[in-house]
Amino acid sequence: MSTKPDLLVVSPWYHVAMKELEDHFTVHKLWKTDDKAGMLAAIADSCEAIAGASICGADIMDALPKVKVIAHHGVGYDGVDVATATARGIKVSNTPDVLSDEVADFALGLLLATCRKIPHADRYVRAGKWESEGNMAFTTRVHGRKVGILGLGRIGIEIARRCEAFKMDVAYHTRSKRDVPYTYYDDLAAMARDVDFLIAIVPGGDSTKHMVNRVVLDALGPDGVLINVARGSVVDEQALIEALRDGRLGAAGLDVFDQEPKVPQALKDMTENVVLQPHQASATHETRLAMGRLVMENALAGLAGKPLITPVN
Ligand code: A2R
């Protein structure tokens, strides 16, 4: 019989990191079984650690009453019921910092892809249109423009630095002003009115739900570009679809959606002014390995009764 402690993994992540996890734990993969209740019941008396890649609600905590630690995979932990965990004395961790540069790189890539129509241009060449129709229509520039960053935390600041390198004029909106050389707005719509690009990188959850609403999208305007690398819930998706459809918003580059992996058909149909990505901002081999290792270290610390490396509660 294995002497390794049991660990429940809720949903899949990078297989290389998962293999390392299996050196330390007997890993129970919840997403792989059709009999979830059966798997949970079988480890209810022994499992003291959960590692998640997406959701962990009170139902899983109810099923595993011995759990001491939930080591969440990802920096945003809006899928974890932290209030319930805290009330039950369960420690929760996330994976901050190790993905900040990756997500920031991606945000700039998505901005460039959306403004310079890089995916469209790829399709144009492949369809033989360069040969049959000549040069593609012009696009719009990125450097020298004004960008507003919604959320200037660990990732937001890295996005700001990259925007500076692209010679952009950088503004930000958060609840509290930071000591940074960027223009602060205490009102999101006012910032949206003044900038060309709005990049969302705040956490999900109730406090940021639908912050980017019709008013903000209208303020961004017909030449404005929205980039969302935060959470789908931050943007009112219906209002976004209507703004894009009616030409009240110029374009959008989206890596996150309300009902992932489902993406509204209306967005899929907008091939000219929308770039869609499958929530992949942090998804490189290097960063996903670093995230997986941090999950593992947090789970090991939690089981050993030590302070977590990157605690949430
Ligand atoms: O508001 P502040 O001063 O606490 O600044 C935080 C800002 N933020 C908000 N800004 C406006 N209204 C809100 N209701 C609000 N809630 C939070 O978001 C801070 O500047 C930023 C969050 O920064 P960090 O906690 O360092 O998060 P990190 O690592 O940058 O990741 C952000 C999110 C994740 O939660 C995932 O959802 C996504 O990026 O990947």
Side-chain angles (χ1 to χ4, degrees), residues 43 98 112 147:
I43 57 172
V98 291
L112 284 164
V147 62

Side-chain angles (χ1 to χ4, degrees), residues 75-78 96-97 99-100 103 150-156 173-178 201-204 207-208 211 229-231 279:
V75 61
Y77 48 86
D78 40 303
D97 299 314
L99 47 61
S100 298
V103 176
L150 166 56
L152 201 75
R154 291 167 293 235
I155 303 173
H173 167 71
T174 50
R175 290 165 301 185
S176 35
K177 191 172 185 290
R178 290 191 58 176
I201 187 65
V202 281
S207 85
T208 58
M211 273 189 97
V229 283
R231 283 286 184 266
H279 199 154

Side-chain angles (χ1 to χ4, degrees), residues 36-168:
K36 294 195 180 2
M39 176 181 277
L40 293 171
I43 57 172
D45 292 333
S46 57
C47 184
E48 296 181 335
I50 298 173
S54 51
I55 0 176
C56 187
D59 52 337
I60 294 180
M61 295 180 230
D62 284 342
L64 299 179
K66 298 270 171 67
V67 162
K68 295 178 183 167
V69 55
I70 298 171
H72 175 64
H73 184 282
V75 61
Y77 48 86
D78 40 303
V80 180
D81 186 345
V82 178
T84 297
T86 305
R88 295 179 188 193
I90 300 171
K91 293 176 180 172
V92 181
S93 61
N94 65 343
T95 60
D97 299 314
V98 291
L99 47 61
S100 298
D101 282 313
E102 209 70 80
V103 176
D105 284 357
F106 188 82
L108 267 289
L110 192 50
L111 178 64
L112 284 164
T114 307
C115 293
R116 298 300 313 273
K117 299 202 166 190
I118 295 171
H120 316 64
D122 179 84
R123 293 195 293 269
Y124 192 83
V125 174
R126 285 174 202 280
K129 289 189 179 174
W130 193 15
E131 290 161 63
S132 63
E133 296 179 23
N135 288 339
M136 195 177 91
F138 293 159
T139 60
T140 53
R141 80 163 41 155
V142 168
H143 72 269
R145 308 288 294 282
K146 288 187 178 168
V147 62
I149 304 174
L150 166 56
L152 201 75
R154 291 167 293 235
I155 303 173
I157 195 80
E158 291 302 333
I159 293 175
R161 289 188 180 126
R162 284 158 176 76
C163 289
E164 254 191 300
F166 272 83
K167 302 179 183 172
M168 283 184 240

